[in-house]
Amino acid sequence: GQNIDQPTEMTATEGAIVQINCTYQTSGFNGLFWYQQHAGEAPTFLSYNVLDGLEEKGRFSSFLSRSKGYSYLLLKELQMKDSASYLCAVRDRDYKLSFGAGTTVTVRA
Amino acid sequence: TAGITQAPTSQILAAGRSMTLRCTQDMRHNAMYWYRQDLGLGLRLIHYSNTAGTTGKGEVPDGYSVSRANTDDFPLTLASAVPSQTSVYFCASSDSSGGANTQYFGPGTRLTVL
């Protein structure tokens, strides 16, 4: 099974940088995903890591360390529209996803 | 393209009644999933199907059943609803159960069981 931990809430100022950490314990690791979910909407895919290191995609980057069971999502140049919940999800060897409870990010002007 | 559609958008259901939540995808994805999302608990997998004709149990399958008669449709049935099944239900699909292929989510069904 999976045990996935991420902070419940974070607040940051427009234009700033925020780092959302995710730690996991898994019986079989097969990839880590980050999703964004605005209130009342469906989750949408942000990033995928299966090997150690940093994946950069525009203002968003995601890092993975498999030996430490650790990932982070880095949001740069924060915009008001980035206010949302960010979900960390771990895929197991049966290709099923287990999700953390999500981190609600509030961007202040 | 429509992607994944779910129906109904929301529903209020009396306890003990049955209901089927519908999910249809037009992306020809082979894998489909049903999740429920509850405050503070995140998304939890109810049932999944890796290909048409096969289904499997997720983390919280009790009280729910699914079928996968074809590639596009993956209905979720509550045989006798209970208040603890009040939740937001999301259907998702992916074009492979492996590789870097991601799961894409439908808009969700908000279900209230009274």
Side-chain angles (χ1 to χ4, degrees), chain A residues 30 33 35 37 40-43 45 48 87 91 94-101, chain B residues 33 35 37 40-43 45 48 90 97-103 105-107:
Chain A
N30 192 20
F33 295 77
Y35 282 82
Q37 186 177 25
E41 297 183 7
F45 169 73
Y48 166 73
L87 314 178
R91 187 170 66 188
D94 294 326
Y95 303 109
K96 297 192 296 294
L97 288 182
S98 294
F99 285 82
Chain B
Y33 311 84
Y35 295 89
Q37 187 173 37
L41 293 177
L43 286 155
L45 182 65
Y48 66 95
F90 287 102
S97 56
N101 296 301
T102 65
Q103 291 186 21
F105 286 81

PDB file of all heavy atoms in Angstrom, chain A residues 30 33 35 37 40-43 45 48 87 91 94-101, chain B residues 33 35 37 40-43 45 48 90 97-103 105-107:
ATOM      1  N   ASN A  30       6.249   3.051  -9.033  1.00  0.00           N
ATOM      2  CA  ASN A  30       6.229   3.001 -10.495  1.00  0.00           C
ATOM      3  C   ASN A  30       5.876   4.355 -11.078  1.00  0.00           C
ATOM      4  O   ASN A  30       5.215   4.435 -12.100  1.00  0.00           O
ATOM      5  CB  ASN A  30       5.238   1.924 -10.946  1.00  0.00           C
ATOM      6  CG  ASN A  30       5.365   1.598 -12.425  1.00  0.00           C
ATOM      7  OD1 ASN A  30       6.393   1.873 -13.046  1.00  0.00           O
ATOM      8  ND2 ASN A  30       4.332   1.044 -13.000  1.00  0.00           N
ATOM      9  N   PHE A  33       3.100  11.422  -9.739  1.00  0.00           N
ATOM     10  CA  PHE A  33       2.367  12.419 -10.519  1.00  0.00           C
ATOM     11  C   PHE A  33       1.977  13.593  -9.623  1.00  0.00           C
ATOM     12  O   PHE A  33       1.721  13.428  -8.435  1.00  0.00           O
ATOM     13  CB  PHE A  33       1.082  11.811 -11.090  1.00  0.00           C
ATOM     14  CG  PHE A  33       1.297  10.719 -12.089  1.00  0.00           C
ATOM     15  CD1 PHE A  33       1.664   9.450 -11.677  1.00  0.00           C
ATOM     16  CD2 PHE A  33       1.138  10.957 -13.441  1.00  0.00           C
ATOM     17  CE1 PHE A  33       1.856   8.427 -12.599  1.00  0.00           C
ATOM     18  CE2 PHE A  33       1.326   9.943 -14.377  1.00  0.00           C
ATOM     19  CZ  PHE A  33       1.685   8.680 -13.945  1.00  0.00           C
ATOM     20  N   TYR A  35      -0.992  16.654  -9.730  1.00  0.00           N
ATOM     21  CA  TYR A  35      -2.196  17.160 -10.368  1.00  0.00           C
ATOM     22  C   TYR A  35      -2.574  18.486  -9.716  1.00  0.00           C
ATOM     23  O   TYR A  35      -2.332  18.708  -8.535  1.00  0.00           O
ATOM     24  CB  TYR A  35      -3.369  16.185 -10.207  1.00  0.00           C
ATOM     25  CG  TYR A  35      -3.336  14.996 -11.131  1.00  0.00           C
ATOM     26  CD1 TYR A  35      -2.556  13.884 -10.838  1.00  0.00           C
ATOM     27  CD2 TYR A  35      -4.094  14.980 -12.287  1.00  0.00           C
ATOM     28  CE1 TYR A  35      -2.528  12.786 -11.685  1.00  0.00           C
ATOM     29  CE2 TYR A  35      -4.088  13.880 -13.144  1.00  0.00           C
ATOM     30  CZ  TYR A  35      -3.300  12.785 -12.833  1.00  0.00           C
ATOM     31  OH  TYR A  35      -3.289  11.697 -13.679  1.00  0.00           O
ATOM     32  N   GLN A  37      -5.951  20.917  -8.951  1.00  0.00           N
ATOM     33  CA  GLN A  37      -7.417  20.858  -8.898  1.00  0.00           C
ATOM     34  C   GLN A  37      -7.968  22.173  -8.363  1.00  0.00           C
ATOM     35  O   GLN A  37      -7.786  22.505  -7.186  1.00  0.00           O
ATOM     36  CB  GLN A  37      -7.883  19.696  -8.024  1.00  0.00           C
ATOM     37  CG  GLN A  37      -9.397  19.498  -8.048  1.00  0.00           C
ATOM     38  CD  GLN A  37      -9.843  18.305  -7.228  1.00  0.00           C
ATOM     39  OE1 GLN A  37      -9.172  17.871  -6.302  1.00  0.00           O
ATOM     40  NE2 GLN A  37     -11.002  17.741  -7.582  1.00  0.00           N
ATOM     41  N   GLY A  40     -14.138  22.788  -7.080  1.00  0.00           N
ATOM     42  CA  GLY A  40     -15.311  22.405  -7.842  1.00  0.00           C
ATOM     43  C   GLY A  40     -15.027  21.832  -9.218  1.00  0.00           C
ATOM     44  O   GLY A  40     -15.964  21.601  -9.992  1.00  0.00           O
ATOM     45  N   GLU A  41     -13.738  21.613  -9.526  1.00  0.00           N
ATOM     46  CA  GLU A  41     -13.387  21.100 -10.844  1.00  0.00           C
ATOM     47  C   GLU A  41     -12.654  19.772 -10.741  1.00  0.00           C
ATOM     48  O   GLU A  41     -12.326  19.300  -9.653  1.00  0.00           O
ATOM     49  CB  GLU A  41     -12.526  22.127 -11.582  1.00  0.00           C
ATOM     50  CG  GLU A  41     -13.244  23.435 -11.834  1.00  0.00           C
ATOM     51  CD  GLU A  41     -12.385  24.415 -12.625  1.00  0.00           C
ATOM     52  OE1 GLU A  41     -11.296  24.021 -13.092  1.00  0.00           O
ATOM     53  OE2 GLU A  41     -12.810  25.574 -12.760  1.00  0.00           O
ATOM     54  N   ALA A  42     -12.381  19.171 -11.885  1.00  0.00           N
ATOM     55  CA  ALA A  42     -11.654  17.905 -11.928  1.00  0.00           C
ATOM     56  C   ALA A  42     -10.155  18.146 -11.794  1.00  0.00           C
ATOM     57  O   ALA A  42      -9.650  19.207 -12.161  1.00  0.00           O
ATOM     58  CB  ALA A  42     -11.940  17.198 -13.249  1.00  0.00           C
ATOM     59  N   PRO A  43      -9.414  17.167 -11.281  1.00  0.00           N
ATOM     60  CA  PRO A  43      -7.943  17.268 -11.286  1.00  0.00           C
ATOM     61  C   PRO A  43      -7.427  17.282 -12.719  1.00  0.00           C
ATOM     62  O   PRO A  43      -7.949  16.582 -13.595  1.00  0.00           O
ATOM     63  CB  PRO A  43      -7.501  15.991 -10.562  1.00  0.00           C
ATOM     64  CG  PRO A  43      -8.694  15.533  -9.795  1.00  0.00           C
ATOM     65  CD  PRO A  43      -9.879  15.951 -10.610  1.00  0.00           C
ATOM     66  N   PHE A  45      -3.660  17.070 -14.985  1.00  0.00           N
ATOM     67  CA  PHE A  45      -2.284  16.602 -14.916  1.00  0.00           C
ATOM     68  C   PHE A  45      -1.297  17.769 -15.011  1.00  0.00           C
ATOM     69  O   PHE A  45      -1.432  18.655 -15.856  1.00  0.00           O
ATOM     70  CB  PHE A  45      -2.036  15.625 -16.050  1.00  0.00           C
ATOM     71  CG  PHE A  45      -0.587  15.268 -16.261  1.00  0.00           C
ATOM     72  CD1 PHE A  45       0.068  14.434 -15.374  1.00  0.00           C
ATOM     73  CD2 PHE A  45       0.113  15.781 -17.341  1.00  0.00           C
ATOM     74  CE1 PHE A  45       1.402  14.105 -15.565  1.00  0.00           C
ATOM     75  CE2 PHE A  45       1.441  15.451 -17.549  1.00  0.00           C
ATOM     76  CZ  PHE A  45       2.085  14.613 -16.660  1.00  0.00           C
ATOM     77  N   TYR A  48       4.986  14.426 -14.225  1.00  0.00           N
ATOM     78  CA  TYR A  48       5.236  13.003 -13.991  1.00  0.00           C
ATOM     79  C   TYR A  48       6.730  12.797 -13.814  1.00  0.00           C
ATOM     80  O   TYR A  48       7.539  13.307 -14.606  1.00  0.00           O
ATOM     81  CB  TYR A  48       4.732  12.194 -15.185  1.00  0.00           C
ATOM     82  CG  TYR A  48       5.191  10.766 -15.248  1.00  0.00           C
ATOM     83  CD1 TYR A  48       4.673   9.817 -14.378  1.00  0.00           C
ATOM     84  CD2 TYR A  48       6.114  10.348 -16.205  1.00  0.00           C
ATOM     85  CE1 TYR A  48       5.068   8.495 -14.441  1.00  0.00           C
ATOM     86  CE2 TYR A  48       6.517   9.020 -16.283  1.00  0.00           C
ATOM     87  CZ  TYR A  48       5.985   8.099 -15.404  1.00  0.00           C
ATOM     88  OH  TYR A  48       6.376   6.785 -15.470  1.00  0.00           O
ATOM     89  N   LEU A  87      -2.273  17.927  -5.870  1.00  0.00           N
ATOM     90  CA  LEU A  87      -2.358  16.537  -5.425  1.00  0.00           C
ATOM     91  C   LEU A  87      -1.125  15.761  -5.844  1.00  0.00           C
ATOM     92  O   LEU A  87      -0.760  15.764  -7.018  1.00  0.00           O
ATOM     93  CB  LEU A  87      -3.593  15.859  -6.036  1.00  0.00           C
ATOM     94  CG  LEU A  87      -4.912  16.625  -5.996  1.00  0.00           C
ATOM     95  CD1 LEU A  87      -6.006  15.816  -6.686  1.00  0.00           C
ATOM     96  CD2 LEU A  87      -5.309  16.962  -4.584  1.00  0.00           C
ATOM     97  N   ARG A  91       2.147   5.921  -8.224  1.00  0.00           N
ATOM     98  CA  ARG A  91       1.658   4.761  -8.956  1.00  0.00           C
ATOM     99  C   ARG A  91       2.418   3.523  -8.512  1.00  0.00           C
ATOM    100  O   ARG A  91       3.643   3.549  -8.381  1.00  0.00           O
ATOM    101  CB  ARG A  91       1.823   4.979 -10.465  1.00  0.00           C
ATOM    102  CG  ARG A  91       1.182   3.895 -11.320  1.00  0.00           C
ATOM    103  CD  ARG A  91       1.163   4.280 -12.780  1.00  0.00           C
ATOM    104  NE  ARG A  91       2.505   4.357 -13.333  1.00  0.00           N
ATOM    105  CZ  ARG A  91       2.772   4.831 -14.550  1.00  0.00           C
ATOM    106  NH1 ARG A  91       1.793   5.264 -15.311  1.00  0.00           N
ATOM    107  NH2 ARG A  91       4.009   4.857 -14.990  1.00  0.00           N
ATOM    108  N   ASP A  94       1.073  -2.249  -9.997  1.00  0.00           N
ATOM    109  CA  ASP A  94      -0.162  -2.651 -10.668  1.00  0.00           C
ATOM    110  C   ASP A  94      -0.763  -1.487 -11.444  1.00  0.00           C
ATOM    111  O   ASP A  94      -1.903  -1.588 -11.921  1.00  0.00           O
ATOM    112  CB  ASP A  94      -1.172  -3.171  -9.645  1.00  0.00           C
ATOM    113  CG  ASP A  94      -0.694  -4.462  -8.998  1.00  0.00           C
ATOM    114  OD1 ASP A  94      -0.026  -5.258  -9.684  1.00  0.00           O
ATOM    115  OD2 ASP A  94      -0.985  -4.659  -7.799  1.00  0.00           O
ATOM    116  N   TYR A  95      -0.016  -0.376 -11.512  1.00  0.00           N
ATOM    117  CA  TYR A  95      -0.403   0.814 -12.285  1.00  0.00           C
ATOM    118  C   TYR A  95      -1.612   1.535 -11.710  1.00  0.00           C
ATOM    119  O   TYR A  95      -2.265   2.291 -12.417  1.00  0.00           O
ATOM    120  CB  TYR A  95      -0.640   0.445 -13.762  1.00  0.00           C
ATOM    121  CG  TYR A  95       0.563  -0.189 -14.386  1.00  0.00           C
ATOM    122  CD1 TYR A  95       0.571  -1.542 -14.700  1.00  0.00           C
ATOM    123  CD2 TYR A  95       1.712   0.549 -14.621  1.00  0.00           C
ATOM    124  CE1 TYR A  95       1.692  -2.140 -15.254  1.00  0.00           C
ATOM    125  CE2 TYR A  95       2.841  -0.042 -15.170  1.00  0.00           C
ATOM    126  CZ  TYR A  95       2.819  -1.385 -15.485  1.00  0.00           C
ATOM    127  OH  TYR A  95       3.924  -1.978 -16.018  1.00  0.00           O
ATOM    128  N   LYS A  96      -1.870   1.341 -10.431  1.00  0.00           N
ATOM    129  CA  LYS A  96      -2.929   2.090  -9.777  1.00  0.00           C
ATOM    130  C   LYS A  96      -2.328   3.285  -9.048  1.00  0.00           C
ATOM    131  O   LYS A  96      -1.223   3.220  -8.511  1.00  0.00           O
ATOM    132  CB  LYS A  96      -3.711   1.208  -8.804  1.00  0.00           C
ATOM    133  CG  LYS A  96      -4.430   0.053  -9.502  1.00  0.00           C
ATOM    134  CD  LYS A  96      -5.419  -0.634  -8.599  1.00  0.00           C
ATOM    135  CE  LYS A  96      -4.765  -1.308  -7.418  1.00  0.00           C
ATOM    136  NZ  LYS A  96      -3.905  -2.433  -7.848  1.00  0.00           N
ATOM    137  N   LEU A  97      -3.069   4.407  -9.012  1.00  0.00           N
ATOM    138  CA  LEU A  97      -2.611   5.627  -8.332  1.00  0.00           C
ATOM    139  C   LEU A  97      -3.181   5.690  -6.919  1.00  0.00           C
ATOM    140  O   LEU A  97      -4.358   5.396  -6.700  1.00  0.00           O
ATOM    141  CB  LEU A  97      -3.079   6.867  -9.094  1.00  0.00           C
ATOM    142  CG  LEU A  97      -2.414   7.205 -10.426  1.00  0.00           C
ATOM    143  CD1 LEU A  97      -3.010   8.491 -10.974  1.00  0.00           C
ATOM    144  CD2 LEU A  97      -0.916   7.329 -10.268  1.00  0.00           C
ATOM    145  N   SER A  98      -2.331   6.119  -5.995  1.00  0.00           N
ATOM    146  CA  SER A  98      -2.768   6.479  -4.648  1.00  0.00           C
ATOM    147  C   SER A  98      -2.462   7.952  -4.452  1.00  0.00           C
ATOM    148  O   SER A  98      -1.349   8.389  -4.739  1.00  0.00           O
ATOM    149  CB  SER A  98      -2.040   5.647  -3.596  1.00  0.00           C
ATOM    150  OG  SER A  98      -2.393   4.289  -3.691  1.00  0.00           O
ATOM    151  N   PHE A  99      -3.445   8.689  -3.965  1.00  0.00           N
ATOM    152  CA  PHE A  99      -3.320  10.135  -3.855  1.00  0.00           C
ATOM    153  C   PHE A  99      -3.103  10.570  -2.414  1.00  0.00           C
ATOM    154  O   PHE A  99      -3.689  10.001  -1.483  1.00  0.00           O
ATOM    155  CB  PHE A  99      -4.596  10.814  -4.371  1.00  0.00           C
ATOM    156  CG  PHE A  99      -4.732  10.828  -5.852  1.00  0.00           C
ATOM    157  CD1 PHE A  99      -5.219   9.722  -6.530  1.00  0.00           C
ATOM    158  CD2 PHE A  99      -4.369  11.952  -6.584  1.00  0.00           C
ATOM    159  CE1 PHE A  99      -5.344   9.731  -7.909  1.00  0.00           C
ATOM    160  CE2 PHE A  99      -4.489  11.975  -7.959  1.00  0.00           C
ATOM    161  CZ  PHE A  99      -4.972  10.858  -8.632  1.00  0.00           C
ATOM    162  N   GLY A 100      -2.314  11.636  -2.251  1.00  0.00           N
ATOM    163  CA  GLY A 100      -2.283  12.339  -0.990  1.00  0.00           C
ATOM    164  C   GLY A 100      -3.562  13.156  -0.842  1.00  0.00           C
ATOM    165  O   GLY A 100      -4.349  13.290  -1.783  1.00  0.00           O
ATOM    166  N   ALA A 101      -3.750  13.726   0.340  1.00  0.00           N
ATOM    167  CA  ALA A 101      -4.974  14.481   0.615  1.00  0.00           C
ATOM    168  C   ALA A 101      -4.997  15.832  -0.085  1.00  0.00           C
ATOM    169  O   ALA A 101      -6.049  16.476  -0.150  1.00  0.00           O
ATOM    170  CB  ALA A 101      -5.150  14.667   2.116  1.00  0.00           C
TER     171      ALA A 101
ATOM    172  N   TYR B  33     -11.163   4.262 -14.481  1.00  0.00           N
ATOM    173  CA  TYR B  33     -11.097   4.235 -13.021  1.00  0.00           C
ATOM    174  C   TYR B  33     -12.269   5.016 -12.431  1.00  0.00           C
ATOM    175  O   TYR B  33     -12.740   5.979 -13.026  1.00  0.00           O
ATOM    176  CB  TYR B  33      -9.803   4.904 -12.539  1.00  0.00           C
ATOM    177  CG  TYR B  33      -8.554   4.425 -13.241  1.00  0.00           C
ATOM    178  CD1 TYR B  33      -8.163   4.977 -14.455  1.00  0.00           C
ATOM    179  CD2 TYR B  33      -7.772   3.421 -12.686  1.00  0.00           C
ATOM    180  CE1 TYR B  33      -7.027   4.533 -15.103  1.00  0.00           C
ATOM    181  CE2 TYR B  33      -6.624   2.977 -13.331  1.00  0.00           C
ATOM    182  CZ  TYR B  33      -6.259   3.539 -14.537  1.00  0.00           C
ATOM    183  OH  TYR B  33      -5.125   3.096 -15.182  1.00  0.00           O
ATOM    184  N   TYR B  35     -13.080   7.027  -8.748  1.00  0.00           N
ATOM    185  CA  TYR B  35     -12.586   7.513  -7.468  1.00  0.00           C
ATOM    186  C   TYR B  35     -13.719   8.225  -6.732  1.00  0.00           C
ATOM    187  O   TYR B  35     -14.635   8.761  -7.343  1.00  0.00           O
ATOM    188  CB  TYR B  35     -11.469   8.535  -7.658  1.00  0.00           C
ATOM    189  CG  TYR B  35     -10.201   8.021  -8.279  1.00  0.00           C
ATOM    190  CD1 TYR B  35     -10.041   8.017  -9.667  1.00  0.00           C
ATOM    191  CD2 TYR B  35      -9.147   7.569  -7.490  1.00  0.00           C
ATOM    192  CE1 TYR B  35      -8.864   7.560 -10.249  1.00  0.00           C
ATOM    193  CE2 TYR B  35      -7.972   7.115  -8.062  1.00  0.00           C
ATOM    194  CZ  TYR B  35      -7.839   7.120  -9.434  1.00  0.00           C
ATOM    195  OH  TYR B  35      -6.670   6.673 -10.006  1.00  0.00           O
ATOM    196  N   GLN B  37     -13.945  11.403  -3.779  1.00  0.00           N
ATOM    197  CA  GLN B  37     -13.127  12.427  -3.140  1.00  0.00           C
ATOM    198  C   GLN B  37     -13.885  13.015  -1.965  1.00  0.00           C
ATOM    199  O   GLN B  37     -14.959  13.586  -2.135  1.00  0.00           O
ATOM    200  CB  GLN B  37     -12.747  13.535  -4.133  1.00  0.00           C
ATOM    201  CG  GLN B  37     -11.754  14.529  -3.546  1.00  0.00           C
ATOM    202  CD  GLN B  37     -11.248  15.527  -4.577  1.00  0.00           C
ATOM    203  OE1 GLN B  37     -11.977  15.969  -5.451  1.00  0.00           O
ATOM    204  NE2 GLN B  37      -9.961  15.873  -4.497  1.00  0.00           N
ATOM    205  N   GLY B  40     -10.390  16.150   3.152  1.00  0.00           N
ATOM    206  CA  GLY B  40      -9.360  15.679   4.063  1.00  0.00           C
ATOM    207  C   GLY B  40      -8.821  14.301   3.761  1.00  0.00           C
ATOM    208  O   GLY B  40      -7.839  13.875   4.370  1.00  0.00           O
ATOM    209  N   LEU B  41      -9.456  13.592   2.836  1.00  0.00           N
ATOM    210  CA  LEU B  41      -9.016  12.223   2.528  1.00  0.00           C
ATOM    211  C   LEU B  41      -8.436  12.088   1.138  1.00  0.00           C
ATOM    212  O   LEU B  41      -7.842  11.093   0.808  1.00  0.00           O
ATOM    213  CB  LEU B  41     -10.184  11.256   2.670  1.00  0.00           C
ATOM    214  CG  LEU B  41     -10.721  11.073   4.085  1.00  0.00           C
ATOM    215  CD1 LEU B  41     -11.920  10.134   4.080  1.00  0.00           C
ATOM    216  CD2 LEU B  41      -9.634  10.545   5.020  1.00  0.00           C
ATOM    217  N   GLY B  42      -8.652  13.058   0.292  1.00  0.00           N
ATOM    218  CA  GLY B  42      -8.144  12.945  -1.059  1.00  0.00           C
ATOM    219  C   GLY B  42      -8.939  11.966  -1.900  1.00  0.00           C
ATOM    220  O   GLY B  42      -9.995  11.463  -1.496  1.00  0.00           O
ATOM    221  N   LEU B  43      -8.410  11.682  -3.056  1.00  0.00           N
ATOM    222  CA  LEU B  43      -9.052  10.758  -3.985  1.00  0.00           C
ATOM    223  C   LEU B  43      -8.744   9.313  -3.588  1.00  0.00           C
ATOM    224  O   LEU B  43      -7.581   8.969  -3.370  1.00  0.00           O
ATOM    225  CB  LEU B  43      -8.530  11.005  -5.408  1.00  0.00           C
ATOM    226  CG  LEU B  43      -9.040  12.263  -6.092  1.00  0.00           C
ATOM    227  CD1 LEU B  43      -8.051  12.735  -7.151  1.00  0.00           C
ATOM    228  CD2 LEU B  43     -10.403  11.989  -6.719  1.00  0.00           C
ATOM    229  N   LEU B  45      -9.448   5.214  -4.753  1.00  0.00           N
ATOM    230  CA  LEU B  45      -9.863   4.374  -5.863  1.00  0.00           C
ATOM    231  C   LEU B  45     -10.934   3.389  -5.414  1.00  0.00           C
ATOM    232  O   LEU B  45     -10.752   2.657  -4.443  1.00  0.00           O
ATOM    233  CB  LEU B  45      -8.650   3.623  -6.423  1.00  0.00           C
ATOM    234  CG  LEU B  45      -8.882   2.733  -7.632  1.00  0.00           C
ATOM    235  CD1 LEU B  45      -9.285   3.573  -8.841  1.00  0.00           C
ATOM    236  CD2 LEU B  45      -7.624   1.927  -7.936  1.00  0.00           C
ATOM    237  N   TYR B  48     -11.523  -0.284 -10.839  1.00  0.00           N
ATOM    238  CA  TYR B  48     -10.817   0.069 -12.052  1.00  0.00           C
ATOM    239  C   TYR B  48     -11.011  -1.034 -13.091  1.00  0.00           C
ATOM    240  O   TYR B  48     -11.470  -2.143 -12.776  1.00  0.00           O
ATOM    241  CB  TYR B  48      -9.326   0.297 -11.785  1.00  0.00           C
ATOM    242  CG  TYR B  48      -8.589  -0.951 -11.359  1.00  0.00           C
ATOM    243  CD1 TYR B  48      -7.900  -1.736 -12.268  1.00  0.00           C
ATOM    244  CD2 TYR B  48      -8.595  -1.342 -10.019  1.00  0.00           C
ATOM    245  CE1 TYR B  48      -7.237  -2.883 -11.877  1.00  0.00           C
ATOM    246  CE2 TYR B  48      -7.941  -2.491  -9.611  1.00  0.00           C
ATOM    247  CZ  TYR B  48      -7.258  -3.254 -10.534  1.00  0.00           C
ATOM    248  OH  TYR B  48      -6.609  -4.396 -10.134  1.00  0.00           O
ATOM    249  N   PHE B  90     -15.361  10.847  -9.217  1.00  0.00           N
ATOM    250  CA  PHE B  90     -14.652  11.162 -10.450  1.00  0.00           C
ATOM    251  C   PHE B  90     -14.336   9.881 -11.208  1.00  0.00           C
ATOM    252  O   PHE B  90     -13.845   8.906 -10.636  1.00  0.00           O
ATOM    253  CB  PHE B  90     -13.333  11.889 -10.167  1.00  0.00           C
ATOM    254  CG  PHE B  90     -13.505  13.305  -9.731  1.00  0.00           C
ATOM    255  CD1 PHE B  90     -13.396  13.657  -8.394  1.00  0.00           C
ATOM    256  CD2 PHE B  90     -13.756  14.311 -10.661  1.00  0.00           C
ATOM    257  CE1 PHE B  90     -13.543  14.976  -7.983  1.00  0.00           C
ATOM    258  CE2 PHE B  90     -13.904  15.626 -10.255  1.00  0.00           C
ATOM    259  CZ  PHE B  90     -13.802  15.957  -8.920  1.00  0.00           C
ATOM    260  N   SER B  97      -2.017   1.258 -19.104  1.00  0.00           N
ATOM    261  CA  SER B  97      -1.843   1.147 -17.653  1.00  0.00           C
ATOM    262  C   SER B  97      -0.376   1.305 -17.265  1.00  0.00           C
ATOM    263  O   SER B  97      -0.031   1.242 -16.110  1.00  0.00           O
ATOM    264  CB  SER B  97      -2.381  -0.188 -17.152  1.00  0.00           C
ATOM    265  OG  SER B  97      -1.769  -1.264 -17.836  1.00  0.00           O
ATOM    266  N   GLY B  98       0.505   1.558 -18.229  1.00  0.00           N
ATOM    267  CA  GLY B  98       1.912   1.715 -17.893  1.00  0.00           C
ATOM    268  C   GLY B  98       2.528   2.915 -18.563  1.00  0.00           C
ATOM    269  O   GLY B  98       1.823   3.777 -19.083  1.00  0.00           O
ATOM    270  N   GLY B  99       3.842   3.017 -18.558  1.00  0.00           N
ATOM    271  CA  GLY B  99       4.557   4.117 -19.191  1.00  0.00           C
ATOM    272  C   GLY B  99       4.276   5.432 -18.519  1.00  0.00           C
ATOM    273  O   GLY B  99       3.945   5.498 -17.351  1.00  0.00           O
ATOM    274  N   ALA B 100       4.423   6.505 -19.245  1.00  0.00           N
ATOM    275  CA  ALA B 100       4.204   7.845 -18.714  1.00  0.00           C
ATOM    276  C   ALA B 100       2.776   8.300 -18.930  1.00  0.00           C
ATOM    277  O   ALA B 100       2.452   9.451 -18.655  1.00  0.00           O
ATOM    278  CB  ALA B 100       5.158   8.834 -19.369  1.00  0.00           C
ATOM    279  N   ASN B 101       1.919   7.417 -19.392  1.00  0.00           N
ATOM    280  CA  ASN B 101       0.562   7.832 -19.716  1.00  0.00           C
ATOM    281  C   ASN B 101      -0.211   8.214 -18.466  1.00  0.00           C
ATOM    282  O   ASN B 101      -0.246   7.479 -17.491  1.00  0.00           O
ATOM    283  CB  ASN B 101      -0.157   6.711 -20.450  1.00  0.00           C
ATOM    284  CG  ASN B 101       0.507   6.410 -21.784  1.00  0.00           C
ATOM    285  OD1 ASN B 101       0.612   7.271 -22.634  1.00  0.00           O
ATOM    286  ND2 ASN B 101       0.985   5.190 -21.937  1.00  0.00           N
ATOM    287  N   THR B 102      -0.826   9.374 -18.521  1.00  0.00           N
ATOM    288  CA  THR B 102      -1.484   9.924 -17.344  1.00  0.00           C
ATOM    289  C   THR B 102      -2.961   9.579 -17.338  1.00  0.00           C
ATOM    290  O   THR B 102      -3.539   9.205 -18.351  1.00  0.00           O
ATOM    291  CB  THR B 102      -1.340  11.440 -17.308  1.00  0.00           C
ATOM    292  OG1 THR B 102      -2.042  11.991 -18.421  1.00  0.00           O
ATOM    293  CG2 THR B 102       0.105  11.865 -17.399  1.00  0.00           C
ATOM    294  N   GLN B 103      -3.561   9.736 -16.173  1.00  0.00           N
ATOM    295  CA  GLN B 103      -4.997   9.585 -16.054  1.00  0.00           C
ATOM    296  C   GLN B 103      -5.663  10.938 -16.270  1.00  0.00           C
ATOM    297  O   GLN B 103      -5.223  11.944 -15.707  1.00  0.00           O
ATOM    298  CB  GLN B 103      -5.362   9.030 -14.678  1.00  0.00           C
ATOM    299  CG  GLN B 103      -4.924   7.588 -14.483  1.00  0.00           C
ATOM    300  CD  GLN B 103      -5.399   6.984 -13.186  1.00  0.00           C
ATOM    301  OE1 GLN B 103      -6.358   7.466 -12.576  1.00  0.00           O
ATOM    302  NE2 GLN B 103      -4.746   5.926 -12.741  1.00  0.00           N
ATOM    303  N   PHE B 105      -9.270  13.049 -16.017  1.00  0.00           N
ATOM    304  CA  PHE B 105     -10.457  12.973 -15.174  1.00  0.00           C
ATOM    305  C   PHE B 105     -11.672  13.628 -15.821  1.00  0.00           C
ATOM    306  O   PHE B 105     -11.560  14.631 -16.524  1.00  0.00           O
ATOM    307  CB  PHE B 105     -10.188  13.660 -13.831  1.00  0.00           C
ATOM    308  CG  PHE B 105      -9.308  12.857 -12.921  1.00  0.00           C
ATOM    309  CD1 PHE B 105      -7.935  12.862 -13.079  1.00  0.00           C
ATOM    310  CD2 PHE B 105      -9.857  12.086 -11.915  1.00  0.00           C
ATOM    311  CE1 PHE B 105      -7.117  12.100 -12.248  1.00  0.00           C
ATOM    312  CE2 PHE B 105      -9.053  11.323 -11.073  1.00  0.00           C
ATOM    313  CZ  PHE B 105      -7.685  11.330 -11.251  1.00  0.00           C
ATOM    314  N   GLY B 106     -12.838  13.030 -15.548  1.00  0.00           N
ATOM    315  CA  GLY B 106     -14.098  13.646 -15.907  1.00  0.00           C
ATOM    316  C   GLY B 106     -14.445  14.751 -14.935  1.00  0.00           C
ATOM    317  O   GLY B 106     -13.753  14.955 -13.930  1.00  0.00           O
ATOM    318  N   PRO B 107     -15.547  15.480 -15.190  1.00  0.00           N
ATOM    319  CA  PRO B 107     -15.912  16.642 -14.375  1.00  0.00           C
ATOM    320  C   PRO B 107     -16.474  16.308 -13.006  1.00  0.00           C
ATOM    321  O   PRO B 107     -16.597  17.194 -12.153  1.00  0.00           O
ATOM    322  CB  PRO B 107     -16.960  17.353 -15.230  1.00  0.00           C
ATOM    323  CG  PRO B 107     -17.547  16.265 -16.070  1.00  0.00           C
ATOM    324  CD  PRO B 107     -16.432  15.321 -16.350  1.00  0.00           C
TER     325      PRO B 107
END
